[in-house]
Amino acid sequence: MATGVRRTTLTLPAAPVGPAGPLPAVRAPGDVHRVELPEGLELPPDMARQLRYAPLDSLLPVAVHDGYGRTRAETTLDALVIENDRLRATVLPGLGGRVHSLYHKPTDRELLYRNPVLQPANFALNGAWISGGIEWNTGATGHTALSCAPVHAATVPAPGGGEMLRLWEWERLRDLPFQVDLWLPEGSDFLLVGVRVRNPHLNAVPAYWWSNIAVPEDEHTRVLAPADDAWHFGYERTLRRVPVPESDGTDRTYPLRSEHPADYFYEIPDGDRRWIASLDGAGHGLVHTSTDTLRGRKLFLWGAGRAGRRWQQWLTEPGTGGYAEIQAGLARTQLEHVRLEGGAEFAWLEAYGPLAADPAVVHGTDWAAARRATGDRLEAVLPRAQVDAAFAAWRPYADAEPKEMLATGSGWGALERARTGHDLPGTPFAESTVGPDQRPWLTLLHTGDFPRGGGVPAAPLVAAPWRDLLESAPPGPGTDYHLGIAQWHAGDRAQAVRSWERALAHGADCRPLYCLAVAEETAGETARAAQRYAEALACVPDEEPADGADGAEGVDGAEGVDGAAPVGATGRIGPLLPALVRAAVPALLAAGRADEAAAALGRLPEAARGDGRLALLTAQVALAQGDAHAARAVFDRGFDVPDLREGDETLSDTWYAVAEALIAGTRPVTPDVRARARAEHPLPDRYEFRMRAVGSA
């Protein structure tokens, strides 16, 4: 039975991802993958170069997705199944092409951690991300901005007969198309995956890829790779080389023996086969291997500490077991970008399947024997030469045109094809996929003028060719607003400010004011930033018209507690006001304008202020106004911040600031007060999300 591909549906409790945020992503991203190298650390030359190469200083042009809550309902999703007589893989094309399940029929085993719920959380570069399964991370360091986005999907002929499932999309952070081909040869216990990232441009572009595999975790789980050293990266943002398996007195190849979340990037010697496996106490589990282009291997562990367990509960359903991640990437670490020359491509083959090895050896104290036994078992069931041969067999099929379309992604690839005429065999970006986000840009391309009226499009473009078109277009609110965004992204901050000021003069809505506020914040002008935010708030009505202040369909209320829709005086709150309030309140507090911050929160309906994101701001405002008891009452009532960022310690910082104020009153906060605050007001489990040792730098 060669690969067959079929449509199906999957029904799970899910919290909706929600629409893109209404404000442009002009703020610098909060990068948990920023690394501070210790003095004297020796790095391989290519690694040192790639750590410094083209880090993101902006999420533009992608939009932030933070409109989700934590209320889940039974939801039916489109799914695609790839199946032979040994394996069944279930893929979710609406969620970045994630492989939700990989089921091995002969042993009746699920090889992946299959999340029983779909709960967005703030782990992707642009916000919404869902844990579990296999995800395809491209673009820049971190979880891809396509984590919760639809991708194109179709069937194509597979090497040796049968069908492949092809997934493809245009990645906007780097303007690179990619494809993922999945198939199951007849009688194979391994899912084969051919991946290609192409650079159709004349200039070199930074590329990034990590395939991320969630695997079940318990106290017996061990992760093995052919390495004696690893690069450790923790949430203190430092990188250091450590021995494998044991460092600091603990065997780190068992995920639950560590206390805090951490990454371990394995240093696999050149020429050795590249693989990584997660095996349980009986020696059974999943193994991943690839051709040599995919050089990196990584273990991510949550650890057994309070925060790691809290994050696991946050991302799934309490009581359903935890997971670790084994990963494979283009570079040694996820902190690097790799140069992809103009007109070139990266291509490789991956294999995912079951593995069984002698548990006495796998879990023995001899690390060399354990990894040698695991590698030998892999060679027995899937020889390295067979993987290389499968890659060679796939290459002629990579350009095969799709036979049957199964799912549709975005229209950004079609827009780029319209601009450049790129010929990308195997990954058609059809003109029919152009949608509302792309049409204004298509008009600019064809007429030289950005369309007027109907509000400002929510989706900017920032690449140099589009910036050139905007500079040549007649001035207008949309033209100048988007030109400012493109100039900001290019680092021309002064020109961006001038463009946003022209957009306001031409009658643009409040978004240029928001951009000007961010510009002042970036320049360190706290007072001026607060004033710009106040002006932006002043130009947004409390209740927006039915077509929305952003030209999109209006909503009956902003998201409230756990996704509930608050109702104002006449029941209509648009997306701009809550988004601006969330952005403005911290700036107003920083400028000492606590009463204005309170007034901004007061413009929202009561139900909206119960949303966890706004509840936290309410506590911070009360504290700034000198009412620590009111601030503590917010915490005591309880709230959740649905889009709490990975590595963000705002919750714990605010909790202890309130505790210190309760103890100190009007007196200065001394070290003794801080110590008492931590002793007398311990942080509740509900608010414990710190991913590093308490008190670490």
Side-chain angles (χ1 to χ4, degrees):
M1 178 182 176
T3 302
V5 180
R6 58 183 171 86
R7 288 186 172 97
T8 188
T9 58
L10 182 69
T11 301
L12 290 173
V17 173
L23 298 172
V26 289
R27 288 177 179 273
D31 185 8
V32 297
H33 296 97
R34 186 186 79 249
V35 62
E36 298 171 1
L37 299 177
E39 187 175 346
L41 178 66
E42 293 187 8
L43 299 174
D46 61 334
M47 180 177 172
R49 181 176 63 254
Q50 290 169 177
L51 283 169
R52 297 189 297 266
Y53 179 44
L56 282 186
D57 57 9
S58 166
L59 292 178
L60 292 169
V62 303
V64 173
H65 278 266
D66 59 3
Y68 49 85
R70 293 192 57 80
T71 296
R72 297 190 285 265
E74 290 294 312
T75 304
T76 299
L77 305 169
D78 291 331
L80 303 170
V81 170
I82 316 158
E83 189 167 18
N84 68 0
D85 53 345
R86 311 284 293 177
L87 280 174
R88 181 170 64 244
T90 304
V91 176
L92 302 178
L95 292 171
R98 177 184 302 269
V99 179
H100 176 71
S101 167
L102 186 60
Y103 172 70
H104 189 232
K105 298 177 184 180
T107 57
D108 188 28
R109 294 173 66 90
E110 172 61 54
L111 301 179
L112 305 175
Y113 171 75
R114 184 175 58 190
N115 199 332
V117 303
L118 296 180
Q119 176 56 61
N122 193 356
F123 278 70
L125 287 165
N126 63 332
W129 173 80
I130 290 169
S131 64
I134 305 169
E135 62 175 311
W136 318 109
N137 290 304
T138 187
T141 52
H143 293 283
T144 177
L146 296 167
S147 290
C148 292
V151 297
H152 303 283
T155 59
V156 294
E163 294 179 319
M164 286 193 297
L165 172 62
R166 174 164 297 162
L167 310 170
W168 74 98
E169 188 48 277
W170 190 277
E171 200 287 311
R172 300 181 68 210
L173 285 172
R174 302 302 194 185
D175 269 336
L176 296 179
F178 70 92
Q179 72 186 76
V180 178
D181 289 351
L182 306 98
W183 78 101
L184 288 162
E186 183 175 0
S188 175
D189 281 317
F190 283 83
L191 174 68
L192 301 184
V193 182
V195 183
R196 179 164 64 165
V197 179
R198 287 187 273 190
N199 180 6
H201 311 295
L202 296 176
N203 56 300
V205 176
Y208 175 88
W209 187 279
W210 280 81
S211 299
N212 184 352
I213 312 147
V215 290
E217 165 204 74
D218 63 25
E219 66 271 21
H220 303 296
T221 301
R222 192 177 205 187
V223 172
L224 301 103
D228 292 315
D229 297 279
W231 298 95
H232 169 271
F233 180 75
Y235 286 82
E236 299 84 2
R237 297 192 175 96
T238 59
L239 190 68
R240 59 191 177 100
R241 192 163 183 160
V242 298
V244 175
E246 186 174 306
S247 63
D248 299 326
T250 301
D251 188 333
R252 306 294 176 177
T253 62
Y254 290 89
L256 285 178
R257 293 186 185 178
S258 291
E259 179 74 8
H260 303 290
D263 298 327
Y264 290 90
F265 300 101
Y266 294 112
E267 186 66 70
I268 299 175
D270 290 341
D272 285 10
R273 187 176 187 180
R274 303 189 179 278
W275 58 267
I276 189 168
S278 173
L279 303 180
D280 64 16
H284 296 276
L286 178 137
V287 65
H288 172 279
T289 188
S290 71
T291 50
D292 288 350
T293 296
L294 206 65
R295 68 168 301 171
R297 293 298 184 274
K298 169 193 165 182
L299 162 65
F300 168 75
L301 55 86
W302 286 105
R306 198 163 66 123
R309 296 302 94 194
R310 177 65 173 130
W311 273 114
Q312 294 251 23
Q313 296 169 3
W314 187 253
L315 297 170
T316 182
E317 193 71 27
T320 56
Y323 72 95
E325 293 172 0
I326 57 176
Q327 303 186 24
L330 281 175
R332 281 182 176 84
T333 74
Q334 274 184 325
L335 312 171
E336 303 168 61
H337 298 109
V338 182
R339 183 181 177 91
L340 179 57
E341 298 295 338
E345 67 180 38
F346 289 130
W348 62 89
L349 185 124
E350 304 179 41
Y352 299 78
L355 193 74
D358 183 347
V361 180
V362 166
H363 296 285
T365 57
D366 187 337
W367 169 247
R371 62 182 180 82
R372 183 169 55 249
T374 306
D376 289 347
R377 284 298 302 148
L378 171 61
E379 186 65 20
V381 297
L382 185 67
R384 184 178 188 179
Q386 187 174 326
V387 173
D388 292 337
F391 176 61
W394 167 70
R395 290 296 281 150
Y397 289 81
D399 287 345
E401 291 302 315
K403 292 167 51 181
E404 179 189 2
M405 289 296 298
L406 300 174
T408 303
S410 77
W412 295 113
L415 181 66
E416 287 304 311
R417 276 198 73 233
R419 185 183 65 80
T420 64
H422 288 318
D423 182 23
L424 297 168
T427 54
F429 293 98
E431 185 178 349
S432 60
T433 62
V434 171
D437 282 340
Q438 295 85 38
R439 287 193 191 108
W441 298 101
L442 201 59
T443 299
L444 174 66
L445 181 66
H446 289 157
T447 70
D449 194 3
F450 203 85
R452 297 152 192 270
V456 176
L461 284 171
V462 296
W466 292 106
R467 188 172 72 247
D468 292 343
L469 286 170
L470 288 167
E471 287 175 343
S472 302
T479 302
D480 292 316
Y481 166 71
H482 282 291
L483 177 57
I485 291 174
Q487 291 165 332
W488 181 263
H489 178 264
D492 194 348
R493 302 299 170 84
Q495 286 290 356
V497 167
R498 283 191 281 272
S499 294
W500 290 325
E501 289 172 342
R502 284 197 306 271
L504 291 172
H506 287 126
D509 69 1
C510 68
R511 269 169 289 208
L513 282 167
Y514 166 76
C515 294
L516 289 168
V518 173
E520 298 289 7
E521 278 184 312
T522 304
E525 298 289 347
T526 303
R528 293 170 66 175
Q531 183 56 34
R532 286 295 197 183
Y533 277 118
E535 293 167 6
L537 285 169
C539 81
V540 181
D542 289 340
E543 298 170 8
E544 296 179 22
D547 61 354
D550 61 349
E553 183 180 352
V555 293
D556 291 330
E559 186 179 276
V561 179
D562 281 341
V567 180
T570 60
R572 180 164 292 279
I573 296 294
L576 273 175
L577 182 58
L580 271 175
V581 168
R582 289 178 58 192
V585 166
L588 291 168
L589 291 178
R593 297 166 67 163
D595 290 344
E596 289 178 68
L601 287 168
R603 290 184 60 185
L604 298 174
E606 186 69 30
R609 295 198 296 275
D611 172 85
R613 291 161 280 212
L614 295 166
L616 178 58
L617 291 176
T618 299
Q620 292 170 340
V621 168
L623 183 62
Q625 291 180 312
D627 193 344
H629 291 283
R632 176 58 182 264
V634 175
F635 279 95
D636 290 344
R637 287 193 295 271
F639 62 90
D640 294 319
V641 180
D643 64 335
L644 186 70
R645 184 69 176 166
E646 174 189 11
D648 190 342
E649 298 180 357
T650 306
L651 268 175
S652 53
D653 288 349
T654 304
W655 169 271
Y656 285 121
V658 172
E660 290 163 6
L662 288 172
I663 293 172
T666 59
R667 294 170 295 154
V669 175
T670 63
D672 178 63
V673 167
R674 291 193 179 93
R676 281 186 57 196
R678 279 148 182 76
E680 297 175 13
H681 300 271
L683 184 69
D685 287 348
R686 181 172 189 167
Y687 305 121
E688 177 59 277
F689 290 93
R690 292 172 293 182
M691 299 178 77
R692 58 181 182 154
V694 175
S696 63

